[in-house]
Amino acid sequence: KFSCGSKPGHSKQGNLCAAGTSNSDFDKDCVTCPDGEYSAQGALSCTTCGKGKRMADNTGGGTGAESSACLNCPQGTYSSAGSNSCSNCAKGKFSDSTAAHACVTCGPGRYSGSEGSSVCARCPSGTYLADTSNDESKHDSSGDCSNCEAGKSNGIEGATECTVCSSGKYQNDVGRSQCDNCPSGKYLMDDGIDALLHDSFADDCADCSPGQYSATGASFCNDCSAGKYSSSAGSSEAICQICATGKFQ
């Protein structure tokens, strides 16, 4: 048998240990819970707040049940078990839910340039971020988004790659959201295979031969219709002229 003063969960005076304290020994008094732990009245021991939670008052000696003594970490933060406070997610990481016990590295096409992010930003159109590793240093700045190379483009945010221009199109510059059409009278046959065949208007958009024409963005040239001709290279349909009386084409 125990005396009132020595019963676990009680003080030496025989009273129940107050919430926020505990006593598991026979001849000891109730002691305050350490930082990051809590207890209800009459507790034999203190309990740590779980992962993704913090003490409600940010100090030790929390009281009551976990639902009142511990608070969920908000979005953009996390904690390990027994934490007094929640920590911000590092740059390059995020947490989009409450009560997170860890933050997640931003995925391909995304970055986070500030601490405590609940969502990662998308790389702007005309850029891409292909990295699929778990290295937050490759996702912690807008500078991690690379410009599309000349001859390529992308028109979406959060891209993981850029696309080679399609037939009839080119792009001289880097970091572009779309490719430009070759003008009428010119053509470009390659259809999104080789960026080097789309990275220069002067070199890649070829003139239609005399007797042929093209509209803007053409992948090939058409012959002038019967009874019409063009004597110069690089003609549009409007330049195909009607043959003079007594002549044909």
Side-chain angles (χ1 to χ4, degrees):
K1 294 183 178 181
F2 303 110
S3 65
C4 290
S6 63
K7 186 176 181 180
H10 291 68
S11 67
K12 286 184 176 181
Q13 291 73 34
N15 300 315
L16 286 171
C17 289
T21 67
S22 69
N23 180 19
S24 60
D25 293 326
F26 300 141
D27 295 318
K28 298 287 182 69
D29 208 349
C30 303
V31 294
T32 300
C33 292
D35 288 353
E37 297 186 12
Y38 68 96
S39 73
Q41 186 182 43
L44 302 181
S45 62
C46 299
T47 305
T48 60
C49 289
K51 295 178 180 179
K53 296 177 181 290
R54 68 167 178 83
M55 294 300 300
D57 59 1
N58 288 332
T59 63
T63 63
E66 184 178 35
S67 59
S68 60
C70 304
L71 299 179
N72 287 338
C73 290
Q75 293 179 334
T77 68
Y78 71 100
S79 77
S80 55
S83 296
N84 281 343
S85 60
C86 303
S87 301
N88 284 329
C89 293
K91 293 180 180 180
K93 292 191 171 188
F94 76 104
S95 70
D96 59 1
S97 62
T98 60
H101 61 84
C103 299
V104 181
T105 300
C106 296
R110 295 172 182 263
Y111 70 94
S112 170
S114 59
E115 296 181 350
S117 294
S118 61
V119 64
C120 295
R122 296 178 180 179
C123 290
S125 59
T127 68
Y128 69 101
L129 204 170
D131 180 73
T132 58
S133 72
N134 203 35
D135 184 354
E136 65 267 27
S137 68
K138 296 180 180 179
H139 298 264
D140 64 358
S141 166
S142 60
D144 294 321
C145 303
S146 301
N147 284 326
C148 293
E149 300 89 344
K152 294 183 177 182
S153 70
N154 76 57
I156 62 172
E157 296 180 342
T160 60
E161 62 181 357
C162 298
T163 305
V164 178
C165 298
S166 59
S167 60
K169 296 178 181 289
Y170 72 96
Q171 183 48 259
N172 291 326
D173 301 320
V174 300
R176 297 299 183 177
S177 60
Q178 62 182 14
C179 297
D180 297 324
N181 287 324
C182 291
S184 60
K186 295 181 179 289
Y187 72 102
L188 202 167
M189 293 181 63
D190 181 80
D191 192 13
I193 297 175
D194 187 352
L196 295 177
L197 299 177
H198 298 263
D199 64 356
S200 170
F201 165 70
D203 296 335
D204 300 326
C205 293
D207 285 336
C208 292
S209 301
Q212 294 186 320
Y213 71 92
S214 72
T216 58
S219 59
F220 60 89
C221 298
N222 298 293
D223 292 332
C224 290
S225 58
K228 293 185 177 182
Y229 75 100
S230 68
S231 58
S232 60
S235 297
S236 64
E237 184 175 16
I239 299 178
C240 289
Q241 303 176 37
I242 298 175
C243 294
T245 303
K247 295 185 178 181
F248 69 94
Q249 178 66 36

